[in-house]
Amino acid sequence: MNAPTLDFWFDFGSNYSYLSAMRIEQAAAAHGVALRWQPFLLGPVFRALGWETSPFVLQKEKGDYVWKDMVRQCRKYGLPWQRPGNFPRAAVLPLRIALAGAGQPWIGEFCRRTMRLNFAEDRDIDAPETMAALLADMGLPAHRVIDEALSDANKLRLRRQTETAMEKGIFGAPTFFVGDEMFWGNDRLDDALAFARAQAGA
Amino acid sequence: MNAPTLDFWFDFGSNYSYLSAMRIEQAAAAHGVALRWQPFLLGPVFRALGWETSPFVLQKEKGDYVWKDMVRQCRKYGLPWQRPGNFPRAAVLPLRIALAGAGQPWIGEFCRRTMRLNFAEDRDIDAPETMAALLADMGLPAHRVIDEALSDANKLRLRRQTETAMEKGIFGAPTFFVGDEMFWGNDRLDDALAFARAQAGA
């Protein structure tokens, strides 16, 4: 029998995607569920819904709450936290790298390191020098990886990936899919994994 | 030492409040936390935020998702579920009754029965005859309870309660408070209870 698969749709600028990205690889493995990293651009999805930026910026009350919630959630998950000075932070380059490398063995570590830079160190993750240093630190051929990420074919792939997100009904991040079954938000990751495991056993 | 207290802000028209209302009394008791039922009108809060109705109606993508999520959540919590034919359903009368009766021993049972009528039986909970039958079925003096709920003083109290909700930064329901610490959504009920218990032990 094939292992059940969980698709993890995320953007590096999304704070609730941070909570999921840091634990999803381990959690999926513990459930015997295969994981597919599905980076996409959340900005165009928000704009298609009529929002010029994150609802956490547009809705002051919800935004004020979210930053308190993040402090508590990070404490709960044992994660470092520093509110980004720039939110939502642009992450086109790391998303292009993640899409190009989605099937590589280093994808999980790359995503966790990038998330940590944004949400624990308040660093500009969209800067080429930041990404080059991160990749080099992981022992990867930074310039080759970045060149591939910046190829026309990969740029087009990220646009198509974002269109696919909209076609699937995604309106926020993180979003998880098990087949056609959609789960929205870090608070549903455990439900999604349980669903994936149950499907496989059916 | 006083028992820690959890304030539960809810509207009978709110589907995620349903998930909390059905389990909160038992969960609070299990944690040794005192519970205060805080009914309020969610509609004026949404309008003050610039939304003419529920975001689940205004945002089609999110709304489509929410009804799938509710099916799964109700299965998880072992609750009956029928999508209301009218959403968000007006609940001014039951909210007035709940506010007038918030300190009564029957408040929990009243709220659960009202929620069940809305979200499991698709009944018009704002109709006086529905409320009269429900109260009588609970062995309460239905007409006296309803008369008190409809008094000018109690009507004014519900308006003030709703203003208080806005002043506290509430932007949705359910919302929980432990002192000034706010927790939004049924997904945070367990965190709020754990926080309340930790505060008491501190």
Side-chain angles (χ1 to χ4, degrees):
Chain A
M1 192 191 302
N2 288 331
T5 299
L6 181 76
D7 286 288
F8 170 38
W9 291 77
F10 68 98
D11 183 316
F12 289 113
S14 151
N15 54 291
Y16 287 113
S17 295
Y18 168 52
L19 300 180
S20 293
M22 301 308 279
R23 66 193 180 100
I24 196 166
E25 201 165 54
Q26 200 171 5
H31 280 74
V33 170
L35 176 63
R36 276 197 296 238
W37 299 79
Q38 301 278 15
F40 74 107
L41 290 161
L42 188 52
V45 174
F46 283 159
R47 284 192 289 277
L49 294 170
W51 308 328
E52 62 181 300
T53 179
S54 165
F56 304 160
V57 176
L58 295 176
Q59 301 169 28
K60 189 197 171 302
E61 292 77 6
K62 188 176 279 187
D64 288 348
Y65 170 76
V66 160
W67 304 124
K68 293 179 194 164
D69 189 48
M70 283 302 296
V71 171
R72 291 192 306 238
Q73 292 292 301
C74 286
R75 195 179 300 138
K76 186 166 80 173
Y77 291 114
L79 293 175
W81 168 254
Q82 190 180 340
R83 181 176 165 179
N86 181 4
F87 180 87
R89 181 163 267 142
V92 183
L93 177 57
L95 287 167
R96 284 172 173 159
I97 294 171
L99 188 63
Q104 301 297 324
W106 48 261
I107 181 65
E109 179 67 16
F110 171 78
C111 291
R112 289 188 292 273
R113 283 181 182 234
T114 301
M115 285 292 198
R116 209 177 290 123
L117 284 182
N118 190 12
F119 292 108
E121 300 178 27
D122 194 16
R123 295 273 304 279
D124 178 9
I125 53 174
D126 210 26
E129 59 273 22
T130 307
M131 282 293 109
L134 185 158
L135 292 164
D137 199 51
M138 287 176 64
L140 296 169
H143 290 292
R144 204 191 323 148
V145 171
I146 290 177
D147 282 351
E148 189 191 336
L150 293 177
S151 70
D152 286 344
N154 193 58
K155 287 178 175 177
L156 179 63
R157 227 182 120 205
L158 184 58
R159 284 198 293 276
R160 292 213 172 123
Q161 170 88 342
T162 300
E163 287 163 10
T164 300
M166 294 188 226
E167 288 158 11
K168 293 177 82 66
I170 287 176
F171 55 84
T175 297
F176 312 98
F177 277 89
V178 180
D180 290 333
E181 196 82 2
M182 178 170 132
F183 298 81
W184 172 53
N186 176 61
D187 293 317
R188 291 289 176 278
L189 173 52
D190 299 301
D191 287 354
L193 286 167
F195 183 87
R197 194 161 61 171
Q199 290 293 99
Chain B
M1 194 192 299
N2 288 331
T5 299
L6 182 77
D7 287 289
F8 170 39
W9 292 77
F10 67 98
D11 184 315
F12 289 113
S14 150
N15 56 291
Y16 287 113
S17 295
Y18 168 53
L19 300 181
S20 293
M22 301 307 278
R23 65 191 180 102
I24 195 168
E25 201 165 54
Q26 201 171 3
H31 281 74
V33 171
L35 177 63
R36 277 197 297 237
W37 300 78
Q38 302 278 14
F40 75 106
L41 291 161
L42 188 53
V45 174
F46 283 159
R47 284 192 289 278
L49 295 170
W51 309 328
E52 62 183 300
T53 180
S54 164
F56 303 161
V57 176
L58 295 177
Q59 301 169 28
K60 189 195 170 303
E61 291 77 7
K62 187 177 282 187
D64 289 348
Y65 169 77
V66 160
W67 305 123
K68 294 179 195 162
D69 189 50
M70 283 303 296
V71 171
R72 291 192 306 237
Q73 292 292 300
C74 287
R75 194 179 300 139
K76 186 166 79 172
Y77 291 115
L79 293 174
W81 168 252
Q82 190 180 339
R83 180 175 165 179
N86 181 3
F87 180 87
R89 181 162 267 143
V92 182
L93 177 56
L95 287 167
R96 284 172 173 159
I97 295 171
L99 188 63
Q104 300 297 324
W106 48 260
I107 182 66
E109 180 66 16
F110 171 78
C111 291
R112 288 187 293 271
R113 283 181 183 236
T114 301
M115 285 292 198
R116 209 178 289 122
L117 284 181
N118 190 13
F119 292 108
E121 300 178 28
D122 194 16
R123 295 274 302 283
D124 177 8
I125 53 174
D126 210 27
E129 58 274 21
T130 307
M131 283 293 109
L134 184 158
L135 291 164
D137 200 50
M138 287 176 64
L140 296 170
H143 290 293
R144 204 196 317 153
V145 171
I146 290 177
D147 283 350
E148 190 192 334
L150 292 176
S151 69
D152 286 344
N154 192 59
K155 287 178 175 177
L156 180 62
R157 226 182 121 208
L158 184 59
R159 283 200 293 276
R160 291 215 172 123
Q161 172 87 342
T162 301
E163 288 163 8
T164 300
M166 293 188 228
E167 288 159 11
K168 293 176 82 68
I170 288 175
F171 54 85
T175 297
F176 312 99
F177 276 90
V178 179
D180 291 333
E181 197 83 2
M182 179 170 133
F183 297 82
W184 171 52
N186 176 62
D187 293 317
R188 291 288 176 279
L189 173 52
D190 298 301
D191 287 353
L193 286 167
F195 184 86
R197 195 161 60 170
Q199 290 293 98

